[in-house]
Amino acid sequence: MRRKWPLLMASILLLLTVSCARDVKKEEPTTFGKYQEPSPVARPSRPPAQPTPEDQQRRAIEEGQLQGRRTDRAALQAARENFMQQKIYFPYDSAQLTQEAQQILRDKASWLRQNSDIYLVIEGHCDERGTTEYNLSLGDRRAESVKVFLVNLGIPASRMTTISFGEERPAVPGNNDNAWALNRRAEFILE
């Protein structure tokens, strides 16, 4: 029996090997560099679906809205810059608003009503004549007069703050009437 045992094991292994060999698929060698036609199973049965007119319209609307948002953002940024660049000027030693200043403030109030989420900082400035304390007080009165005018036009006071820089930040350096006139001003910062 001891001699038959190895023979019996060898026979079983041979049978298993032969029976497994029948299930192995024979692969064809691949050729690199040559075009191979895809198998018929891999081909789509029909061409991809064309977008419907509704899909095309929806896509056009979405692209238009995106472009519109970009345009709106650019227009708002340009309007903000224009708003801040437009200053108002005061007569010597005065916080009284000129007719020209009042018209500029009416335009600003109209824009602020249309953009109710924007807050405003009003800066009061003076020329170099007078003491530092006096000019800080005058700059404060100028900023406050602008704020009161805008409040009277319907802009909530809670959307505005004022600050005085007195003579500390001149717009134009110089010791002449022209430089002094350009330094007596109110400036606007949007937040």
Side-chain angles (χ1 to χ4, degrees):
M1 181 92 159
R2 284 187 184 170
R3 286 188 185 176
K4 292 183 182 179
W5 184 255
L7 254 170
L8 182 62
M9 289 302 280
S11 303
I12 291 173
L13 283 174
L14 184 60
L15 274 172
L16 286 173
T17 305
V18 171
S19 66
C20 288
R22 285 188 220 144
D23 292 339
V24 176
K25 292 183 180 177
K26 186 177 179 184
E27 292 187 29
E28 294 184 25
T30 58
T31 56
F32 294 102
K34 292 184 179 179
Y35 173 77
Q36 291 183 351
E37 190 73 23
S39 67
V41 176
R43 288 187 186 160
S45 58
R46 58 187 157 118
Q50 295 293 324
T52 65
E54 292 83 16
D55 291 339
Q56 291 174 341
Q57 184 179 13
R58 186 175 24 254
R59 185 176 303 128
I61 289 171
E62 289 170 356
E63 289 173 1
Q65 288 173 342
L66 180 61
Q67 183 62 34
R69 279 187 230 125
R70 287 184 191 137
T71 303
D72 290 347
R73 237 180 280 136
L76 178 61
Q77 185 60 32
R80 287 175 64 98
E81 289 173 13
N82 184 50
F83 187 101
M84 291 188 292
Q85 288 175 356
Q86 223 176 5
K87 302 168 181 72
I88 61 169
Y89 298 94
F90 293 89
Y92 173 71
D93 196 27
S94 173
Q96 292 285 43
L97 296 171
T98 64
Q99 291 297 319
E100 182 182 352
Q102 290 177 17
Q103 185 55 50
I104 291 171
L105 291 175
R106 284 186 194 96
D107 294 340
K108 288 183 182 296
S110 174
W111 189 84
L112 287 168
R113 279 191 294 275
Q114 294 170 5
N115 297 280
S116 59
D117 59 333
I118 293 178
Y119 291 82
L120 177 63
V121 177
I122 305 165
E123 298 178 349
H125 297 271
C126 301
D127 63 38
E128 63 185 19
R129 296 174 291 178
T131 66
T132 301
E133 295 80 20
Y134 180 81
N135 284 336
L136 283 171
S137 175
L138 179 57
D140 187 51
R141 289 194 316 270
R142 287 175 175 169
E144 283 297 322
S145 72
V146 169
K147 181 178 178 179
V148 167
F149 191 84
L150 290 172
V151 166
N152 289 336
L153 293 174
I155 306 303
S158 61
R159 290 180 54 199
M160 295 179 280
T161 58
T162 60
I163 187 169
S164 174
F165 288 105
E167 62 191 63
E168 295 174 17
R169 295 185 179 180
V172 178
N175 295 333
N176 57 47
D177 288 335
N178 189 35
W180 292 331
L182 293 173
N183 289 329
R184 296 188 304 259
R185 70 197 188 281
E187 292 191 15
F188 306 90
I189 307 296
L190 297 174
E191 295 181 336

